[in-house]
Amino acid sequence: SSSSSSSSVGGSTMQQRQLAVFSGVPLENCAEPPPTAAAGEEPCDGAVVGRPRWYSAAEYFETKMGNKVSRRSAVCGTRHIKLHGRCIVRDGAVVRGDIADVTIGTGCVLEERVVLRPSYRRHADGCVFTPLTIGDHVLFEEGCVVEAASVGSFVRIGRGAVIGQGSVIKECCWVRDGAVVPAGTVVPPYTLFDGVPASTAADCGAGSAWDGTSFGWHVARLLPVSFREVMYQLTMDYYTNFRRSG
């Protein structure tokens, strides 16, 4: 029984470290802040595990499915936008449902100034916009612009990244901060993309890719299998800790 207890504790510790590494935050900085945090205060930047983000009830509305949507976001064409539940849409985010249908899966997070815009296809008579489908537990970080045809589940799009029109992002991918994915690119599952224009981390060189030493692998084309679970926990923690003040 002692060995099973030890295994459980070790697994929990490893999961915490995985979450901290993928969040870009030292593990020791992931402690809970005092409950007296001011309304609207974000104690730590980025996708941080275990730290509350406070919002005012006057600035967000919550749907029956648990979606939390900022009143200062631009959700255009609401009849053509479907949120599958427990999603967060933050200040300044733009969702262009007025030009084509947008479907967003469960547990997705759109941080400040994220833009989701359906892609288009050129025809002899002009352009036709196509629906945008997004899977479950996807994190769109601050200021990224997405014009993809589809984004799979358990994906992370970094700050300021640009996903070119018509691109297909498969499940369990990570597009790093500031990366630019060219139009029409297909990003395979479990791939780390970085650079301008973006390419696989294996093609970027050791100086421009995360070395992943906490997991025992270095500048690899593929992300570890644990990335799926990490993204699930990261987005669920984000939702749980996105709290209404007062």
Side-chain angles (χ1 to χ4, degrees), residues 20-109:
V21 170
F22 278 112
S23 299
V25 179
L27 187 63
E28 59 270 19
N29 292 343
C30 293
E32 190 87 0
T36 55
E41 178 183 350
E42 296 195 22
C44 195
D45 292 335
V48 183
V49 181
R51 303 196 68 170
R53 294 168 167 81
W54 303 97
Y55 69 90
S56 167
E59 296 176 351
Y60 280 77
F61 65 89
E62 188 168 350
T63 70
K64 293 180 179 179
M65 298 183 69
N67 300 307
K68 300 176 182 181
V69 182
S70 171
R71 298 183 188 278
R72 292 186 288 186
S73 62
V75 181
C76 309
T78 54
R79 289 183 298 175
H80 302 285
I81 298 173
K82 187 171 184 178
L83 302 176
H84 280 275
R86 299 177 68 84
C87 294
I88 298 173
V89 180
R90 302 198 62 177
D91 297 352
V94 177
V95 183
R96 294 295 306 274
D98 55 328
I99 56 178
D101 292 347
V102 178
T103 302
I104 301 176
T106 303
C108 293
V109 178

Side-chain angles (χ1 to χ4, degrees), residues 12 22 29 35 40-42 60 93 96 98 117 126 128 140 144 152 161 178 188 194 206 211 221 223 236 239:
S12 176
F22 278 112
N29 292 343
E41 178 183 350
E42 296 195 22
Y60 280 77
R96 294 295 306 274
D98 55 328
R117 186 174 186 269
V128 176
F140 297 95
C144 68
D194 197 4
D211 64 11
R221 174 181 294 273
L223 291 163
M236 290 298 291
Y239 184 88

Side-chain angles (χ1 to χ4, degrees), residues 161-177:
V162 177
I163 311 299
Q165 84 88 22
S167 298
V168 175
I169 312 296
K170 300 290 189 176
E171 68 171 14
C172 301
C173 294
W174 184 359
V175 179
R176 295 292 299 271
D177 294 356

Side-chain angles (χ1 to χ4, degrees), residues 171-234:
E171 68 171 14
C172 301
C173 294
W174 184 359
V175 179
R176 295 292 299 271
D177 294 356
V180 177
V181 177
T185 300
V186 177
V187 180
Y190 290 95
T191 301
L192 177 66
F193 250 51
D194 197 4
V196 181
S199 57
T200 58
D203 298 328
C204 292
S208 59
W210 175 57
D211 64 11
T213 52
S214 296
F215 303 96
W217 55 276
H218 302 268
V219 195
R221 174 181 294 273
L222 297 180
L223 291 163
V225 175
S226 61
F227 189 74
R228 178 188 179 98
E229 177 64 20
V230 166
M231 286 308 302
Y232 173 81
Q233 292 293 339
L234 192 59

Side-chain angles (χ1 to χ4, degrees), residues 79-169:
R79 289 183 298 175
H80 302 285
I81 298 173
K82 187 171 184 178
L83 302 176
H84 280 275
R86 299 177 68 84
C87 294
I88 298 173
V89 180
R90 302 198 62 177
D91 297 352
V94 177
V95 183
R96 294 295 306 274
D98 55 328
I99 56 178
D101 292 347
V102 178
T103 302
I104 301 176
T106 303
C108 293
V109 178
L110 280 64
E111 291 194 324
E112 292 91 341
R113 299 185 303 282
V114 166
V115 177
L116 299 185
R117 186 174 186 269
S119 60
Y120 60 86
R121 293 177 181 171
R122 294 186 182 276
H123 296 276
D125 298 331
C127 296
V128 176
F129 284 93
T130 59
L132 170 57
T133 303
I134 295 167
D136 301 329
H137 301 288
V138 178
L139 173 61
F140 297 95
E141 295 193 74
E142 182 179 346
C144 68
V145 178
V146 178
E147 293 186 272
S150 65
V151 177
S153 298
F154 311 106
V155 168
R156 181 170 183 173
I157 308 297
R159 291 183 178 184
V162 177
I163 311 299
Q165 84 88 22
S167 298
V168 175
I169 312 296

